[in-house]
Amino acid sequence: MAWAIGIDLGGTAVKIALIDRHTGIADHERHATRLDAGPEGVIEQIAALACASYHRGVDRFGPDSFAGIGLGAPGGVDSTRGILSYPPNLPGWTRYPLRDALRKALEQEILSLPALMVDNDANAAALGEAYFGAGQTFSDFMLVTLGTGVGGGIILNRALYRGSHGTAGEIGFMTIDYRGQSVHAGVRGTLEGLIGKEKIVTLAKERYREHPRKLWSPQHHGEDLSLLSPRTLEHAAHSGDAIAMSIWREVGSILGVGLAGVVALLDIRKFVIGGGISAAGDLVIVPALDRIRHSTLPSMHDDLEVIRASLGNDAGVYGAAALCFESP
């Protein structure tokens, strides 16, 4: 038996869990991230939560099977050096020695720490799905997270592929339409710029306003579209709203173009779709799979599969703990 502490650091919340390697989550907490305290204050917060979780874990599992602490964070993470670079949802953070700072904050409470691992949050989520979720049966797959942004993590031969600088899998910054109007983070026509959450909402509002009011779904979106969100679009589409269904077909098709590029480049045929927008399910997955087939050679179609992730918002903590389980 082995157990580890998995931590998912986000701009809104810090999630932390005790993870048993064989049975999964044994204990789980969520706390608002202390962004106003800056990097040092957030590290203090994480260390305090990790120490409390460690003592609960020792009481429950004993100290001998403790595998370590794993942390997934947004932004570029050099997992070898433990440096976090320019996290998008942590204002004021630029390049920060995340692992060393956390180790220093932990060392007075946890004297014996077998492993302290840090990685990008999408990488962690991919590893979580590989160990505990929808990717358990796949040797190679890519996790794509659809939410405020679009992220990704690549699993090759059951191990994370990070690339030479730790940024492999950043599918959200793959250019889909270099002549398009959408510019995101200074880059034109990226996947994230086209199907990130706010872009979906903006596109939907434009489409509804192009049509007579009678075609709206005020019971879902509000009389003035003020309630419109990916969730209301999902409900509207399931209720037969033609415009909502067309929006999801477009979102799925754009996603499929990005995934087709991954198929052609890496010969990955399995895709696991997570993040809040993945709740739309087949509304996105069916057109995505169709577009992959239309955008790749017939020789690339065998074994293609696009499925929903199964761990939901817990994928990050599962994967952060799994970083310790796969650590030598």
Side-chain angles (χ1 to χ4, degrees):
M1 182 181 71
W3 63 280
I5 296 170
I7 305 169
D8 185 2
L9 169 61
T12 302
V14 176
K15 290 175 278 190
I16 184 166
L18 288 176
I19 309 286
D20 180 282
R21 183 168 189 165
H22 301 292
T23 61
I25 289 180
D27 182 78
H28 188 282
E29 291 184 88
R30 184 182 189 277
H31 300 267
T33 308
R34 292 177 49 199
L35 289 180
D36 56 339
E40 289 74 19
V42 172
I43 290 298
E44 289 179 7
Q45 177 187 22
I46 293 172
L49 293 171
C51 289
S53 187
Y54 170 76
H55 290 302
R56 289 195 300 273
V58 168
D59 289 342
R60 182 163 187 163
F61 303 113
D64 294 340
S65 56
F66 179 49
I69 297 173
L71 170 64
V77 179
D78 183 332
S79 60
T80 301
R81 296 189 296 160
I83 295 174
L84 173 64
S85 299
Y86 303 98
N89 299 315
L90 302 177
W93 298 53
T94 52
R95 290 177 61 82
Y96 190 75
L98 181 62
R99 186 174 59 208
D100 288 349
L102 183 55
R103 187 184 300 278
K104 185 176 181 181
L106 290 169
E107 61 187 9
Q108 292 185 356
E109 282 273 349
I110 305 177
L111 300 179
S112 178
L113 184 56
L116 178 57
M117 311 294 292
V118 297
D119 214 317
N120 169 263
D121 52 0
N123 279 352
L127 197 61
E129 291 289 345
Y131 265 76
F132 298 98
Q136 289 182 75
T137 62
F138 300 150
S139 175
D140 306 323
F141 73 92
M142 183 171 192
L143 173 78
V144 179
T145 58
L146 304 177
T148 302
V150 178
I154 298 171
I155 300 292
L156 295 179
N157 198 24
R158 301 295 300 163
L160 268 174
Y161 177 71
R162 298 177 174 90
S164 59
H165 295 82
T167 59
E170 289 287 359
I171 192 172
F173 292 96
M174 180 184 289
T175 295
I176 302 299
D177 181 9
Y178 74 95
R179 290 179 174 174
Q181 298 301 308
S182 174
V183 178
H184 177 70
V187 184
R188 187 176 299 276
T190 64
L191 195 62
E192 183 166 313
L194 292 170
I195 59 170
K197 176 183 175 181
E198 292 306 316
K199 183 61 179 179
I200 292 173
V201 170
T202 299
L203 175 63
K205 287 182 177 180
E206 291 172 355
R207 293 288 171 82
Y208 278 113
R209 286 169 177 156
E210 289 171 358
H211 292 79
R213 189 181 179 88
K214 65 181 180 180
L215 296 181
W216 291 8
S217 295
Q219 71 272 28
H220 297 295
H221 310 315
E223 291 292 337
D224 57 355
L225 300 178
S226 61
L227 301 180
L228 195 151
S229 70
R231 183 55 57 85
T232 66
L233 274 175
E234 176 193 342
H235 293 322
H238 285 307
S239 298
D241 183 313
I243 296 175
M245 288 189 287
S246 73
I247 293 295
W248 286 121
R249 281 195 298 271
E250 184 166 348
V251 169
S253 294
I254 293 169
L255 173 62
V257 172
L259 300 185
V262 176
V263 172
L265 186 64
L266 293 176
D267 194 26
I268 287 176
R269 307 287 176 97
K270 309 295 186 184
F271 297 93
V272 177
I273 310 301
I277 291 173
S278 70
D282 284 349
L283 293 170
V284 170
I285 287 174
V286 170
L289 185 56
D290 186 58
R291 179 49 56 186
I292 295 173
R293 292 191 175 114
H294 279 84
S295 301
T296 53
L297 296 171
S299 60
M300 300 175 181
H301 295 173
D302 289 349
D303 301 319
L304 278 174
E305 195 170 355
V306 183
I307 63 174
R308 279 188 66 185
S310 62
L311 298 179
N313 290 329
D314 292 330
V317 292
Y318 270 115
L323 292 169
C324 300
F325 298 146
E326 71 159 14
S327 176

